[in-house]
Amino acid sequence: LEKGGKPLKFTLWTPQDLYLRDLTVAQAAQAQMKAVGADVDLKKVEAANWFTTLKVAAQRAPYDMFMWSLTPTTGDGYQQLVELSRSDPDPSKPPMAWNLSHYSNPKVDALISAAGATTDQEKRKAALKEAQEIIMRDAPLVFLYSLNFILGHKTIVQGVRVIPNRFVDFREARFVR
């Protein structure tokens, strides 16, 4: 908890009222980090300014650590890795997708590219798996939790499709008597 004689001290940035209980989660994380000796301040940012505050070039990033949530709209692991973990071609500009930690690892980039360039599902899965293992070791992100969404409907409603990314497709919904 010390480096060069200086205690571990940083600021955790959190949106207010953007994610479910975002401030409560940030306060819990702050308390847990303080319990092990880290001095953590919270910086609350209005939801309306959250994305523009975070999506800046690496040298302009004002945050030490931030709360984040992303749901891949396709439910595909490749999309998630591209958006969160692929290096940006020009770090002097804001990230192209959502790599807000400005993580960069050439091996991960090569594996993501390999996964995106093949239609062989076994090769694709192997490349994504290896990339994820490296990312977990490098730890540019700390995954706190994953929400479970519980949805229900009456039996007279059919054709509702629940997509694994929390979205619900009602395009083919109909009442059946």
Side-chain angles (χ1 to χ4, degrees):
L1 296 176
E2 253 184 41
K3 186 172 183 178
K6 293 185 178 188
L8 179 58
K9 179 179 175 59
F10 60 91
T11 302
L12 170 60
W13 289 54
T14 183
Q16 277 190 278
D17 302 320
L18 178 63
Y19 308 127
L20 181 65
R21 297 189 182 105
D22 46 23
L23 188 54
T24 302
V25 171
Q27 289 167 335
Q30 176 190 37
Q32 291 173 354
M33 289 184 277
K34 282 190 176 194
V36 296
D39 185 3
V40 180
D41 290 322
L42 287 183
K43 167 80 171 163
K44 296 174 246 175
V45 178
E46 290 182 26
N49 298 323
W50 187 240
F51 299 109
T52 54
T53 298
L54 296 182
K55 202 162 185 178
V56 297
Q59 68 270 21
R60 291 189 45 236
Y63 44 80
D64 299 316
M65 181 183 283
F66 58 90
M67 301 288 290
W68 184 247
S69 171
L70 180 70
T71 301
T73 54
T74 64
D76 180 52
Y78 170 78
Q79 179 199 4
Q80 188 84 350
L81 291 182
V82 165
E83 291 189 6
L84 288 176
S85 303
R86 185 168 55 185
S87 302
D88 279 300
D90 186 351
S92 70
K93 294 181 180 174
M96 290 176 58
W98 297 107
N99 183 359
L100 304 175
S101 64
H102 303 284
Y103 174 67
S104 180
N105 184 318
K107 176 71 173 168
V108 169
D109 293 343
L111 289 163
I112 292 170
S113 293
T118 185
T119 57
D120 181 318
Q121 291 304 303
E122 290 307 311
K123 287 182 181 176
R124 188 174 192 272
K125 188 166 45 170
L128 292 174
K129 180 179 186 242
E130 187 178 347
Q132 289 175 47
E133 288 169 349
I134 294 168
I135 293 165
M136 291 304 287
R137 279 193 307 270
D138 288 351
L141 304 166
V142 176
F143 302 93
L144 297 178
Y145 61 93
S146 179
L147 291 174
N148 290 321
F149 293 92
I150 300 172
L151 302 167
H153 63 84
K154 292 184 176 187
T155 55
I156 63 168
V157 178
Q158 294 182 0
V160 175
R161 193 169 143 238
V162 179
I163 304 168
N165 60 8
R166 84 172 180 208
F167 296 111
V168 182
D169 181 355
F170 292 102
R171 290 179 292 182
E172 295 179 20
R174 64 194 177 287
F175 288 104
V176 178
R177 299 234 186 252

